[in-house]
Amino acid sequence: MTISLSATELENLDRRHVIHPHQRPDRQDRRVMVRGQGSTVWDAAGRDFLDALGGGIWVAQVGHGRTELAEAAKEQSLSLAHFTTFFEYTNDKAARLAGRLAALAPDHINRMYFTNSGSEGVDTAIKLARLYHHHRGESSRTWILARHYGYHGSSYGSGTATGIPDMQAAVGPNLPNVEKLMPPYAYRAEFYGGQDVTDFLIAELTATIERIGAENIAAMIGEPVLGGGGVIAPPADYWPRVREVLSKHGILLIADEVITAFGRTGAWFDSAQRGMQPDLIVTAKGLTSGYQPLGAVLMSDAIGETVPAIGGSFFHGHTYAGHPVACAVALANLDIIESEGLLDRSLKIGAGFRSGLAAAADLPTVGDVRVEGATVGIELVTDKATRESLPPDLALAVADELYYNHGILTRNYGATLVLSPPLVFTDEETARTSAALTEVLARVDIEGCRIAPC
Ligand SMILES: Cc1ncc(COP(=O)(O)O)c(C=O)c1O
């Protein structure tokens, strides 16, 4: 029997026993979420919140509380909760999900490796890239090109590829042979010394390949649209030109689509619409809308036919790879995304934010509003002309004000406020979020480093 605990008791338990990802020592408040339905979640005290963050972390594509996904998990748990996919074993749901993903992916991608998270997926992709070259007689190809501002996860491989120095501080040595390039961040024109963004970045990429030596580079990894970096979409010619340079030098391209895949930006795979033509695609979050921890690394036929086939077994594996319950939930989730037209809905949410935030864009602290389907980055500055970033703690205060005074969940990534609501977000919810943001942003008091009272 479960003994019911009050909100305060739950908060105390948590404070005493749980270490949170990215926990700040100066924050002792706790937000204990206990229930969700559609785009609304409730905390242990019974207060409701509009979830403009997708489960707080870019998930919940089909919304909270979906019976279809709960039923899929229940049915699969009763028929076969788990059996390994190591060696020759498999299960019906993993096989069916792999077939479904192959049908959705670009034509040259037909094989996948299942993981439990995005970080595992990125590590797997890095290993696959190195193994691919090794089996083809190019063992010197070990270097990985990544980008500043990129986010790829928290394990040693994915954490090193991440372009946020705090992720690598004091836990080294990190993964060797990882080189960071500049991101395509058009708003920060100062990064490129007056040059065209793509021209600058192609010159940097070419010079880096020359310096390290193409014969030593396995792959480049990048998010089609940088997510945690602040919802930064590249100029249209960036990925096609990067792809061209990489292909010329035999370097693989890994698209990290942990955020973007399965509708976040309006497509099954965002890399396809940006001309990336990746050799590997890493997915997670939206694959199950967060209802189960599951990811998939999708690989080109060239890699899929080379890695396990030549040079012995693929010595890589996770106990829960291809977990049948997670795969059953993913299948039901993809059904909903398709049958409810959530890819189109994602674009409509984006259009709603574009018009809803038009007035906010004119506020003195709003430097840039970036909308990519159902995800938004609002970059805050102290001065529109100099583009000096707002102190991150003041951006956090904006998110706190939205939480406490409007009951809306948003988040700051440094000086950028981010939205990533469920793809079932209604027009009314989009308008309400936009109006609340505009209201709070109008009260940012830079001098006083606070949000002015209403
Ligand atoms: C682009 C990207 N890649 C990888 C990851 C890591 O995924 P996970 O947290 O599931 O390990 C994330 C997480 O937010 C992400 O945004």
Side-chain angles (χ1 to χ4, degrees), residues 393-429:
D393 278 352
L394 197 44
L396 172 63
V398 173
D400 280 345
E401 186 75 3
L402 284 157
Y403 179 87
Y404 287 111
N405 284 336
H406 286 274
I408 297 180
L409 307 181
T410 62
R411 213 192 117 176
N412 75 300
Y413 286 71
T416 301
L417 279 177
V418 163
L419 309 176
S420 59
L423 307 185
V424 295
F425 222 50
T426 63
D427 294 348
E428 185 276 329
E429 288 165 340

Side-chain angles (χ1 to χ4, degrees), residues 57-58 117-120 122 151-153 223 256 258-259 284-285:
I57 195 136
W58 322 78
S117 69
S119 301
E120 276 178 15
V122 169
Y151 185 81
H152 299 295
E223 301 152 84
D256 182 345
V258 169
I259 284 178
K285 300 183 187 281

